[in-house]
Amino acid sequence: MDKKHITDYLDNHNIQHIKFAFADIDGVLRGKVIHRQKFEAGLDDGYGFCDVVFGWDSNDQGYDNVNVTGWHTGYPDKQCKIDLSTFRTVPWQNDMPFFLADFDVKGNEHVPCPRTLLKKIAEECNALGFHPEFAQEFEWFNFSETAQSLEKKSFTNINPLTPGMFGYSILRPSQQSDFYFDLLNLLTQFGVPVEGLHTETGPGVYEIAIMHDEVLAAADKAALLKNAVKEIASKHGIMASFMAKWSHDLPGCSGHVHQSLWSMDKSKNLFYDEADENKMSELMKHYLAGQLYCLPHIVPMYAPTVNSYKRLVEGAWAPTTVTWGIDNRTAALRVLNHAHNYTRLETRIPGADSNPYLALSAALASGLYGIKHKLPLNLPPVNGNGYNYKSNGSIATNLFDAATTMKNSAVARELFGDVFTEHFTNTRVWEWRQFNRHVTDWELKRYFEII
């Protein structure tokens, strides 16, 4: 919709307020509700927004190790701009108009906005003659809890929505049918069409697949889905968590990225080659080789939290090695190749805690790296258990090592630029420092008396 269509819509529905939001460095949606008058006044030049949103962590604690903003800059406003193409209404909030925004405005070259980063990579992809088609899918756990109940219990004795494992169960969703059908229907009405929704293995865990789309639209839908699921769940007295691994006794939660490159008119899947043994085109092989080569340099883009690495362990349905395979769920990169329309690459490193804009940026940029450098796919596909194939390297096992590697990587800086890479990796080192300040229950139980 263009400006006139939107203002006509506001007139016809007598709407006085709109909501907009953008994703911060952790993928958390930050935004405001503003009056229509302010909305219309800023459509051309944008809206001033305190740049602390890129200078603090997910707990609103200001970083002390970044340059782009901080006490040393006085936390000034930066101009963010609403993307009118993202217009939708929020069906569970009286159909309030909603837009996504970013900081893709002249003068904001040093603002580390994740959506702006993905836009630049998508534009580079288009300039090379490719249409990037993407989708991210998520697993998450649901709990019979509220923010208040968890705070009162100090996040102990957390109560899942349902007991038992019940993967792919049709019984469990039927027992929570109001919530289940609200997810299906309200997300679709919100412009986040659901391809599939089912229970995964674990108490109260669901998995959702979003219909694929152009890469920026796909990231928008993924970011919106995570927030929308939490809001819809809350209406039912349920808390939804997208932590990568909330319990060591249970599987983690993934955020796999599916992707393919198409002709610009979207008529031909450029990853498919009927004549090839594995139905993979040379372009797909270069793309896959690029992801394999770049992976050790960019792990925090997929696994951004301390908790992310609790999921990336052997035998937990998450990869630990730099590997690829044909329809192999133990490899880091899984090729699906059974038909022209569906041939794609699944990047399995990201967890549900990933920032969609950064996860999709990493996947696309590293794949394009392989194409631009014509990297050969010399690594053979794994057969059987990918956890045993360690000869090509393993994925970092903690956030500090992953962030330090990325910070010092010329490859990461080529993919994402010096300013973003420096800022992002410093925020991940900060996250590690916050974790290391705290004494865990495990330490108390292990050392309190015996040492």
Side-chain angles (χ1 to χ4, degrees):
M1 296 179 78
D2 59 23
K3 189 189 303 183
K4 183 179 186 308
H5 284 110
I6 289 170
T7 54
D8 287 346
Y9 178 89
L10 300 180
D11 285 336
N12 293 337
H13 293 81
N14 193 29
I15 291 171
Q16 297 302 311
H17 293 89
I18 69 100
K19 180 187 286 190
F20 75 95
F22 52 85
D24 70 7
I25 206 75
D26 287 293
V28 176
L29 290 185
R30 309 277 187 172
K32 296 179 180 179
V33 173
I34 60 175
H35 192 277
R36 173 179 174 173
Q37 183 176 340
K38 181 171 183 176
F39 166 70
E40 293 180 347
L43 284 178
D44 292 327
D45 298 324
Y47 312 85
F49 214 107
C50 179
D51 73 356
V52 72
V53 292
F54 296 113
W56 62 17
D57 62 17
S58 58
N59 201 36
D60 291 5
Q61 299 298 306
Y63 302 123
D64 64 8
N65 61 339
V66 300
N67 296 319
V68 299
T69 188
W71 297 117
H72 61 287
T73 68
Y75 291 115
D77 278 354
K78 298 293 184 183
Q79 292 300 106
C80 72
K81 196 166 185 179
I82 283 175
D83 185 340
L84 295 181
S85 71
T86 65
F87 170 70
R88 60 214 339 119
T89 60
V90 187
W92 58 93
Q93 293 177 355
N94 299 319
D95 286 323
M96 173 176 276
F98 180 91
F99 299 85
L100 283 166
D102 56 46
F103 288 76
D104 188 14
V105 177
K106 186 176 180 180
N108 282 351
E109 289 77 15
H110 289 176
V111 176
C113 172
R115 190 173 192 267
T116 302
L117 177 70
L118 180 56
K119 286 172 72 173
K120 291 177 180 176
I121 295 169
E123 289 166 2
E124 178 186 356
C125 185
N126 293 155
L128 292 170
F130 311 130
H131 166 85
E133 194 76 5
F134 275 65
Q136 190 168 16
E137 60 184 12
F138 293 104
E139 299 164 348
W140 80 93
F141 277 83
N142 298 290
F143 301 92
S144 297
E145 301 284 0
T146 65
Q148 291 76 17
S149 69
L150 285 177
E151 188 75 22
K152 188 174 181 180
K153 295 193 298 183
S154 299
F155 289 82
T156 59
N157 300 315
I158 302 175
N159 186 28
L161 181 62
T162 55
M165 301 306 275
F166 284 82
Y168 299 105
S169 168
I170 62 170
L171 174 63
R172 283 293 189 245
S174 299
Q175 293 169 335
Q176 303 288 338
S177 59
D178 288 347
F179 175 48
Y180 187 77
F181 285 110
D182 260 2
L183 288 173
L184 288 172
N185 297 328
L186 294 178
L187 286 169
T188 299
Q189 293 172 39
F190 189 47
V192 184
V194 175
E195 183 181 80
L197 174 63
H198 62 86
T199 60
E200 253 296 354
T201 183
V205 62
Y206 283 1
E207 179 176 344
I208 200 164
I210 310 170
M211 296 288 287
H212 58 82
D213 205 337
E214 184 275 332
V215 64
L216 183 62
D220 286 343
K221 291 174 181 177
L224 290 171
L225 179 132
K226 291 177 68 174
N227 190 75
V229 165
K230 294 174 186 178
E231 292 186 0
I232 294 168
S234 182
K235 288 173 59 67
H236 293 269
I238 296 168
M239 176 169 278
S241 174
F242 287 81
M243 276 187 70
K245 183 95 166 178
W246 82 273
S247 169
H248 70 276
D249 295 321
L250 297 169
C253 292
S254 69
H256 301 155
V257 175
H258 293 255
Q259 67 232 255
S260 54
L261 298 183
W262 291 66
S263 58
M264 289 299 290
D265 64 1
K266 296 185 278 188
S267 64
K268 183 179 180 182
N269 185 347
L270 301 178
F271 276 5
Y272 184 77
D273 183 353
E274 176 68 32
D276 183 76
E277 177 185 6
N278 291 318
K279 310 301 182 188
M280 297 167 60
S281 69
E282 288 303 307
L283 188 82
M284 184 180 190
K285 293 175 184 178
H286 289 320
Y287 187 97
L288 174 54
Q291 286 209 4
L292 288 167
Y293 178 80
C294 295
L295 175 55
H297 301 267
I298 60 174
V299 173
M301 299 284 279
Y302 298 131
T305 73
V306 171
N307 184 251
S308 302
Y309 299 82
K310 306 295 177 68
R311 169 182 162 265
L312 298 172
V313 295
E314 291 189 9
W317 298 97
T320 60
T321 55
V322 182
T323 48
W324 74 279
I326 304 294
D327 198 9
N328 189 324
R329 287 181 169 87
T330 68
L333 303 173
R334 173 183 173 225
V335 170
L336 295 106
N337 63 349
H338 61 280
H340 169 271
N341 286 349
Y342 300 103
T343 294
R344 63 193 186 275
L345 180 64
E346 179 188 31
T347 303
R348 294 179 57 81
I349 305 96
D353 59 343
S354 60
N355 179 337
Y357 295 106
L358 299 189
L360 272 61
S361 288
L364 180 56
S366 59
L368 293 178
Y369 182 95
I371 292 172
K372 289 185 293 184
H373 293 272
K374 297 190 184 313
L375 296 183
L377 183 58
N378 294 326
L379 188 70
V382 300
N383 293 307
N385 189 348
Y387 297 118
N388 294 330
Y389 287 74
K390 297 181 171 65
S391 59
N392 199 49
S394 298
I395 297 170
T397 58
N398 64 73
L399 181 59
F400 180 78
D401 289 347
T404 302
T405 297
M406 182 175 173
K407 182 181 176 69
N408 297 324
S409 169
V411 171
R413 291 174 183 269
E414 180 178 342
L415 296 180
F416 312 119
D418 287 331
V419 172
F420 179 86
T421 302
E422 185 74 16
H423 178 81
F424 175 66
T425 54
N426 281 341
T427 70
R428 299 309 94 190
V429 171
W430 161 274
E431 194 76 8
W432 178 259
R433 283 168 49 203
Q434 305 320 294
F435 170 70
N436 276 343
R437 290 174 55 202
H438 291 276
V439 177
T440 66
D441 291 346
W442 183 89
E443 292 168 275
L444 288 173
K445 293 173 183 176
R446 190 170 184 89
Y447 302 127
F448 194 88
E449 180 181 9
I450 195 68
I451 287 297

